[in-house]
Amino acid sequence: MNKFTKIISFIFIFTLSLTAGLNGQYIDKQVSTGNELNHSEDYRVKFGERPPLNLENLPEDSYYPGIIRIQFERDFEETLGDIDFDLIDNDHVKTGIQALDELNKAYKVNEYEPMLKELYKISEASLQYKERHRAWGFHLWHTLRLDNNADIIQAINDFESLDKVKVAEPSFKIKLIEPVESRPAEK
């Protein structure tokens, strides 16, 4: 994916999280944009219900081959920070968690990329919101790169069946709906 596509993907995911309730999360405390809220316990998060996704009715051209997104369970958070996600024999990622490693090997998962990794690279200003993102659980989301010929729907079902994985889903393609009005950006 090129940089533009990654940015658009992030915006799409972030917008979904705010409007459609990605994992049904929302903040019940007004969040300040200043530095006075600098600890994750300052962000009280309530969790709602995630709408079901009918994988069997998804057209194959609606998602990217070889890519899925997973969200780890909150109680796996501490363990997650200790995982190196090492690539073994240039073939698959080894986490040290047997169930994950078996699926990584079966689907030739060669990368786990944290969801907001690119955002933090693009804009250092976004780092000021890192604790808020953590409170919302965005650090638990990873993009997995699988073998391009892998059965994405089966991979999603297999990963989601693990007790450490809360959600698994395809990496949906995003397209602009025309007509698109454009004009030069103003400062």
Side-chain angles (χ1 to χ4, degrees):
M1 266 192 271
N2 64 30
K3 196 173 193 178
F4 176 75
T5 305
K6 285 183 178 183
I7 292 170
I8 293 299
S9 292
F10 167 74
I11 291 169
F12 176 74
I13 291 168
F14 191 73
T15 303
L16 271 178
S17 71
L18 294 177
T19 59
L22 182 63
N23 293 325
Q25 299 175 3
Y26 65 91
I27 299 297
D28 71 347
K29 175 179 181 179
Q30 186 172 4
V31 177
S32 170
T33 57
N35 289 329
E36 59 273 20
L37 296 177
N38 57 8
H39 300 288
S40 61
E41 61 268 9
D42 292 327
Y43 305 100
R44 294 182 301 168
V45 179
K46 289 189 178 181
F47 296 89
E49 188 175 316
R50 180 183 171 88
L53 180 62
N54 187 342
L55 297 173
E56 302 309 318
N57 291 336
L58 286 178
E60 281 191 32
D61 65 347
S62 67
Y63 54 86
Y64 291 102
I67 302 172
I68 65 170
R69 292 196 169 102
I70 65 171
Q71 180 192 28
F72 289 104
E73 290 285 355
R74 185 66 82 166
D75 62 0
F76 188 60
E77 184 170 24
E78 287 184 31
T79 305
L80 188 59
D82 295 332
I83 296 176
D84 291 328
F85 298 106
D86 293 325
L87 190 60
I88 301 298
D89 298 328
N90 209 20
D91 182 59
H92 67 281
V93 171
K94 183 173 182 185
T95 64
I97 309 296
Q98 184 179 356
L100 273 176
D101 290 344
E102 288 172 5
L103 290 180
N104 291 340
K105 187 173 184 177
Y107 290 105
K108 296 185 180 177
V109 177
N110 60 29
E111 183 181 3
Y112 276 68
E113 183 178 312
M115 183 173 88
L116 299 182
K117 179 181 174 183
E118 291 299 318
L119 174 68
Y120 298 138
K121 285 182 182 178
I122 293 169
S123 168
E124 283 193 26
S126 64
L127 290 172
Q128 68 181 321
Y129 301 108
K130 198 168 187 174
E131 286 188 52
R132 184 183 308 176
H133 297 157
R134 189 173 187 81
W136 291 343
F138 291 141
H139 65 295
L140 300 171
W141 280 93
H142 285 72
T143 299
L144 281 59
R145 306 227 184 269
L146 293 67
D147 181 279
N148 274 340
N149 297 318
D151 180 341
I152 294 296
I153 303 304
Q154 187 60 51
I156 289 167
N157 288 328
D158 288 346
F159 275 92
E160 201 165 49
S161 73
L162 300 177
D163 63 347
K164 308 223 182 304
V165 175
K166 184 173 185 174
V167 176
E169 63 187 21
S171 177
F172 290 104
K173 293 181 179 178
I174 301 166
K175 63 181 177 180
L176 295 175
I177 299 173
E178 295 194 35
V180 176
E181 182 181 320
S182 64
R183 61 181 187 270
E186 298 176 15
K187 284 190 174 186

